[in-house]
Amino acid sequence: MKMYESYRGLPMFAGIGTFDEVSRPGLSVEQCVARVKRYHYAFKRLHQIFTARITAEPIYELKMAFSLHAHMCAEHASALRVRVGEMREPPLGLDVVPHPALEILFDEILADPTTEELLLGLYEKALPALKRALEHHLADTNKLVDHRTVRLCRFALLEIEDMISFGLCAISKLVDAAIPKKFSLWLAVLDDCLAAVALRDPNPAVQKDLSRQHSAKPYVYDPLPKRDERFRDPYNMGVNAEVFLYDEKFPPRPKTLMMFYKRLREIDVPEMMAGIITQTPGKPWNYYRDMSRQLWDEARHAMMGEVGFVKAGVDWRKVMVNFTWSLALNTQLKPIERHAVLYFIEQGLMPKNGKRFEWDVALASGDPLAAVFQDYDWADEVLHARIGRDWYLKDFGNAQEAVKYGDQCWSRVLMRYGDECLSKVLMGWRQWRDEGLTQHRNWWPDVYLEACKNWGVEPDPAVLAYDTSYETVRADLKELTGSA
Ligand SMILES: [Fe+2]
Ligand SMILES: [Fe+2]
Ligand SMILES: [Fe+2]
């Protein structure tokens, strides 16, 4: 073989590997499929865990990262499903648990009661094991015959490395050095699971009795949204962003601040969608893939708001980003009803006074960053309306029925707190106040003044005096008041 050369020394075999890598027998189709099914199962369970833990995780940065990592895992699981289908595999058996130890591993991580354990389980145990498995696949298989899988492994490795590097950094900042010791018994269970089933090897070398700890009782999803201490007044509905935004007497530039607020407030959409995804079993896989894509978009929109405020020189802790929407929906409606509300709201974003209006305002403000945020926010919401048509509307006889049902579900949430004359008050404005959860303080002047200082402009007295809360927003304006 020493003598073998390509034409004029060009890279051989389309550049996919060395002669050694394309000439070894590698893995048979059967061996390859057995491994791919394990990777697929791992991504599927990781997607489930990341999603289920978004709502009740208080730390904003972790919420955002879990949203991204859930999306990535769903995408890789999807690609691997397609691959299994290419390998003489019907029936695909993609719902079969490939090994009981793997099931225990992911059940344990899903059910762990603390953020610290969650981080350690995901980023120090499960993801590194999956990384090693994919690296072994690349080392073991024939890169020519199994090129399709090789490509999927390489793409997946790129993102697994991103996830691990985020996770290890998070562990170094959040997990006290003594903690792994405290959880050493539990972490040993995870190690035992991984030893019992090398992700890459269908024939386990070590057999140990695996006993469940956290997952001895079945996991129960926690639907109550939580926020970290920077969200100081999470029931505050003291500043009505939409009334300001749609009032023609106000100039566009301060309106960009209101749009940053609306974007940042979109944290509540992942908190709400995570519950729909987690509590709706038995859908075709692409339902979970598409819903997770949307969930991640909503998380990105929240971060656009964060970036916008920082760029405008505003400390966003002064902006009272509430969770009243996700809280009300998660505690009052069934998953299908929440999906109906989401669909109803997102259809309402499409007419001319919705996302297009926000983009026009941002363009008129002269802030190119605000404009590009709204440009993409609009594009994403168009996609979400389609995801709604694909996965919500399909179950209804006609579109009108579907919208009506969403409207009814939404109204039920709105109505729950009101008395006769306040029956259309939005989601408990009065209730939150009467229970002493918030005073609905008007935070707008502080935020506006801070931005004006940074912009080097005199505050506009009319803008500064803005003081409309959500108390009197009527149901006939409700298409303007939702999140999403
Ligand atoms: Fe958005
Ligand atoms: Fe949204
Ligand atoms: Fe959306």
Side-chain angles (χ1 to χ4, degrees):
M1 279 309 114
K2 259 191 210 142
M3 302 301 294
Y4 182 69
E5 276 174 15
S6 62
Y7 183 72
R8 295 208 203 173
L10 286 173
M12 286 183 254
F13 323 118
I16 59 175
T18 62
F19 182 77
D20 179 50
E21 288 170 325
V22 301
S23 64
R24 62 186 169 219
L27 306 171
S28 68
V29 167
E30 193 186 347
Q31 288 168 326
C32 179
V33 168
R35 291 192 188 198
V36 169
K37 284 184 175 177
R38 278 153 202 254
Y39 318 149
H40 163 260
Y41 181 76
F43 276 121
K44 197 169 81 165
R45 295 299 310 269
L46 286 165
H47 162 261
Q48 175 205 22
I49 297 167
F50 280 123
T51 306
R53 299 295 292 259
I54 290 169
T55 310
E57 171 51 56
I59 300 175
Y60 165 70
E61 282 79 2
L62 294 183
K63 261 188 218 291
M64 298 295 102
F66 291 173
S67 302
L68 171 60
H69 296 176
H71 165 60
M72 287 171 166
C73 289
E75 294 287 315
H76 294 298
S78 300
L80 292 168
R81 293 174 82 85
V82 172
R83 181 64 184 137
V84 171
E86 295 170 353
M87 309 257 287
R88 297 200 300 263
E89 263 306 286
L92 303 183
L94 288 166
D95 293 323
V96 176
V97 176
H99 191 288
L102 271 186
E103 186 172 43
I104 296 174
L105 172 79
F106 292 111
D107 285 354
E108 283 293 316
I109 300 174
L110 175 66
D112 59 47
T114 66
T115 298
E116 285 94 341
E117 286 164 282
L118 181 66
L119 295 176
L120 292 168
L122 288 169
Y123 298 110
E124 277 196 355
K125 300 294 177 191
L127 279 162
L130 183 54
K131 177 174 183 256
R132 287 193 298 275
L134 297 182
E135 285 167 347
H136 278 295
H137 196 108
L138 296 181
D140 294 346
T141 201
N142 179 304
K143 288 194 172 172
L144 182 60
V145 299
D146 191 24
H147 179 255
R148 289 284 299 172
T149 315
V150 166
R151 188 163 168 266
L152 298 183
C153 291
R154 293 178 67 212
F155 286 162
L157 278 167
L158 276 176
E159 296 197 326
I160 288 177
E161 277 159 21
D162 288 350
M163 289 185 241
I164 292 175
S165 89
F166 174 91
L168 294 184
C169 181
I171 288 167
S172 75
K173 308 284 181 193
L174 298 173
V175 181
D176 193 80
I179 294 260
K181 223 172 173 182
K182 186 172 143 202
F183 297 132
S184 59
L185 266 179
W186 180 70
L187 292 168
V189 172
L190 304 189
D191 286 333
D192 289 346
C193 291
L194 285 167
V197 53
L199 273 166
R200 68 190 173 103
D201 184 359
N203 304 307
V206 191
Q207 283 291 8
K208 247 191 173 182
D209 274 349
L210 298 167
S211 60
R212 289 175 180 268
Q213 289 196 12
H214 299 324
S215 68
K217 273 193 253 156
Y219 166 75
V220 181
Y221 166 73
D222 181 352
L224 296 179
K226 294 190 188 65
R227 300 277 174 87
D228 64 57
E229 62 272 18
R230 292 168 295 176
F231 298 81
R232 293 164 182 172
D233 193 359
Y235 294 87
N236 183 308
M237 299 172 76
V239 178
N240 190 311
E242 290 78 14
V243 168
F244 184 84
L245 194 56
Y246 289 92
D247 191 331
E248 286 175 10
K249 79 168 179 283
F250 295 126
R253 199 165 187 194
K255 286 182 178 175
T256 61
L257 298 173
M258 278 306 188
M259 290 193 287
F260 296 152
Y261 165 53
K262 279 167 65 66
R263 296 291 73 81
L264 185 51
R265 198 177 54 186
E266 288 188 71
I267 310 165
D268 59 9
V269 191
E271 286 169 346
M272 194 282 280
M273 288 193 75
I276 302 180
I277 296 170
T278 301
Q279 297 179 309
T280 307
K283 288 279 188 183
W285 171 254
N286 289 349
Y287 167 89
Y288 302 102
R289 180 200 63 193
D290 291 353
M291 292 289 277
S292 290
R293 158 66 202 274
Q294 176 173 346
L295 187 156
W296 163 234
D297 290 348
E298 309 291 4
R300 279 192 304 106
H301 297 173
M303 290 186 280
M304 290 178 193
E306 176 192 4
V307 173
F309 278 126
V310 175
K311 190 104 194 263
V314 172
D315 176 354
W316 62 261
R317 291 174 302 178
K318 293 181 180 160
V319 180
M320 297 307 145
V321 180
N322 58 50
F323 60 25
T324 47
W325 187 75
S326 51
L327 178 68
L329 265 66
N330 283 9
T331 53
Q332 293 175 43
L333 297 181
K334 291 191 289 215
I336 181 66
E337 296 170 332
R338 286 174 237 151
H339 203 166
V341 171
L342 186 68
Y343 179 76
F344 173 71
I345 291 174
E346 300 213 297
Q347 298 305 306
L349 299 175
M350 290 308 114
K352 265 209 149 183
N353 64 348
K355 287 292 158 187
R356 168 157 211 134
F357 174 82
E358 292 189 341
W359 182 53
D360 286 339
V361 170
L363 281 175
S365 77
D367 176 349
L369 185 64
V372 83
F373 284 168
Q374 290 312 134
D375 201 4
Y376 279 82
D377 183 70
W378 180 18
D380 292 338
E381 297 302 348
V382 172
L383 176 74
H384 301 170
R386 197 189 79 203
I387 291 172
R389 286 196 296 278
D390 288 350
W391 294 113
Y392 167 72
L393 197 63
K394 258 197 318 208
D395 293 339
F396 278 84
N398 64 62
Q400 269 177 336
E401 290 260 304
V403 174
K404 212 171 105 194
Y405 182 62
D407 194 2
Q408 284 165 356
C409 294
W410 186 216
S411 301
R412 251 172 57 204
V413 176
L414 299 174
M415 301 284 276
R416 179 176 156 210
Y417 301 93
D419 56 30
E420 199 49 44
C421 72
L422 283 169
S423 63
K424 299 284 165 64
V425 167
L426 188 77
M427 286 195 304
W429 190 96
R430 199 176 178 189
Q431 172 112 1
W432 309 131
R433 191 195 55 193
D434 292 350
E435 288 178 9
L437 293 165
T438 182
Q439 292 305 312
H440 298 299
R441 190 181 68 80
N442 179 8
W443 46 263
W444 169 252
D446 290 350
V447 167
Y448 177 56
L449 284 175
E450 198 161 81
C452 286
K453 218 166 115 194
N454 190 56
W455 292 335
V457 300
E458 276 302 306
D460 175 333
V463 171
L464 188 63
Y466 181 70
D467 189 15
T468 304
S469 80
Y470 283 100
E471 182 178 13
T472 53
V473 171
R474 298 286 159 166
D476 55 1
L477 280 171
K478 66 179 180 282
E479 72 272 16
L480 302 179
T481 56
S483 201

